[in-house]
């Protein structure tokens, strides 16, 4: 069976599952859903319900009542659904960073982040057990087309946002079905499509701008302004449009649009065909910036075109960088950038909005803070 990405639950969450409709128990930090086992328990389901939502470590080992066999523990393994996030195991400590990282629990492999259920970037590539994931979370079944499930789900915004930021990995790195019909290929974009389509457009814009301005140095200066402006636009789009989370309308239209725009990337962050922006979506988003460039640089059409061309070039660099951060081995500088961006996915999606640079995160106070090493308290 492939590796599973198991969630973390608070003690309160576990304790709330204390009925025959949903019965959880814990052994140490491990959480087990034994609802389906109630009727099959040799001593009757009532004996389990007596300890529903509680830790049963001592009960399982109690020689007076009945010390459970290895077979009982094997049954438990099949019911394992996650970990308790706010209970420390012996010899471990619960560590919280300054302000930007959610509550984490220290394990042998590192901290487990409550909001994502992950502890490190490698977890993003662990195959998700589709059936177990659906049974545990009751969100989307990765065995079936996702879009219609979401549209007819009646999920609340709160539940949707909780689940969409808990990453899954489609087995083998393939793309999960979105439409499940002839529209499926239209939902996928290979990384090389971006430079193939847009670099010729940028080259044309540079040429037109340089000819119109009559001075290549001036044209290059406007182009550079456009590239620099893109870095700010990249940050603002990522933070205030792609992560509009808290202001998202609590209805299926808003939720579905959010999913298609950026939610699917956080849900399946290693899907290489739904990582860069499809050309049609880019045209829709770029059109207002064409108007804006010509409104700001109204005094010279060619200057505005050069600035806009620089912005498009910045976008190309962004989309390719984003793809390579997820799917390529990179030089030392980009390795640090990769670590930073993937932390946005597995640790703290509410910070770290810069993809090509941390600069604007530092300016606006949203820079990611890594957890302190073991044995060292966060400052």
């Amino acid at each position: 069976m492939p590796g599973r990405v198991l969630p973390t639950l608070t003690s309160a969450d576990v304790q709330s599952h204390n009925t025959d409709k949903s019965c959880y128990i814990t052994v140490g930090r491990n959480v087990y859903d034994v609802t389906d086992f109630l009727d099959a328990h040799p001593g009757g389901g009532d004996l389990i319900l007596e300890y529903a939502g509680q830790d049963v470590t001592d009960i399982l080992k109690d020689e007076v009542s009945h010390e459970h066999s290895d077979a009982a523990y094997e049954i438990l393994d099949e019911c394992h659904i996650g970990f308790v996030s706010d209970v420390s195991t012996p010899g471990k400590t619960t560590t919280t960073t300054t302000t930007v990282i959610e509550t984490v629990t220290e394990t042998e492999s590192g901290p487990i982040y409550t909001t994502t259920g992950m502890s490190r970037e490698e977890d993003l590539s662990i195959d998700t057990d589709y059936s177990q994931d659906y049974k545990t979370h009751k969100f989307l079944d990765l065995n079936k087309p996702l879009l219609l499930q979401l549209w007819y789900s009646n999920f609340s915004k709160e539940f949707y946002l909780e689940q969409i930021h808990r990453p899954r990995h489609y087995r083998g790195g393939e793309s999960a079905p979105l439409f499940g019909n002839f529209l499926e290929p239209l939902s996928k974009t290979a990384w090389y499509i971006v430079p193939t389509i847009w670099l010729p457009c940028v080259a044309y814009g540079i040429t037109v701008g340089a000819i119109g301005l009559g001075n290549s140095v001036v044209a290059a200066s406007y182009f550079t302004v456009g590239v620099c402006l893109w870095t700010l636009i990249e940050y603002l789009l990522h933070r205030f449009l792609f992560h509009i989370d808290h202001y998202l309308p609590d209805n299926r239209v808003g939720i579905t649009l959010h999913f298609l725009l950026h939610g699917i990337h956080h849900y399946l962050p290693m899907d290489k065909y739904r990582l860069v922006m499809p050309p049609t979506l880019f045209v829709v988003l770029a059109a207002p910036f064409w108007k804006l460039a010509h409104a700001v640089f109204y005094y010279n059409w060619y200057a505005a075109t050069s600035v806009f061309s620089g912005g498009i070039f910045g976008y190309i660099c962004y989309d390719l960088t984003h793809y390579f951060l997820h799917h390529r081995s990179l030089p030392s500088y980009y390795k640090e950038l990769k670590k930073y961006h993937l932390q946005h996915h597995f640790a703290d999606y509410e910070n770290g909005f810069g993809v090509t640079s941390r600069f604007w995160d530092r300016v606006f106070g949203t820079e990611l803070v890594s957890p302190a090493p073991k044995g060292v308290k966060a400052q």
Side-chain angles (χ1 to χ4, degrees), residues 186-200:
L186 300 179
S187 71
K188 302 176 183 179
T189 306
W191 70 269
Y192 53 81
I193 295 295
V194 172
T196 299
I197 292 180
W198 302 121
L199 277 179

Side-chain angles (χ1 to χ4, degrees), residues 150-164:
L150 190 64
W151 181 257
Y152 291 112
S153 65
N154 291 319
F155 293 143
S156 68
K157 180 180 78 171
E158 182 181 5
F159 177 73
Y160 164 79
L161 291 174
E162 175 190 335
Q163 292 299 319
I164 211 67

Side-chain angles (χ1 to χ4, degrees), residues 223-338:
F223 178 84
T224 303
V225 168
V227 174
C228 294
L229 284 175
W230 165 258
T231 64
L232 176 59
I233 292 169
E234 169 196 316
Y235 175 88
L236 294 175
L237 283 175
H238 193 184
R239 181 177 180 181
F240 295 109
L241 178 61
F242 298 165
H243 282 276
I244 195 174
D245 304 351
H246 298 298
Y247 301 99
L248 186 67
D250 194 357
N251 58 55
R252 65 180 179 179
V253 175
I255 287 173
T256 301
L257 288 175
H258 180 276
F259 182 77
L260 292 174
L261 183 64
H262 195 60
I264 191 172
H265 176 55
H266 271 262
Y267 183 57
L268 297 163
M270 303 308 288
D271 184 340
K272 59 185 178 182
Y273 292 111
R274 297 197 179 104
L275 201 158
V276 299
M277 194 175 296
T280 50
L281 177 59
F282 177 70
V283 169
V284 171
L285 293 178
F289 291 104
W290 168 264
K291 295 290 187 181
L292 180 61
H294 284 270
V296 173
F297 298 90
Y298 63 92
Y299 54 85
N300 191 308
W301 189 91
Y302 296 103
T305 299
S306 296
V307 170
F308 182 76
S309 297
I312 300 302
F313 181 75
Y315 153 72
I316 295 170
C317 295
Y318 151 79
D319 236 357
L320 295 183
T321 298
H322 190 199
Y323 179 87
F324 294 146
L325 292 181
H326 279 267
H327 292 288
R328 292 288 186 272
S329 296
L330 301 164
S332 56
Y333 166 75
Y334 286 99
K335 285 181 180 177
E336 287 301 312
L337 202 57
K338 177 174 184 174

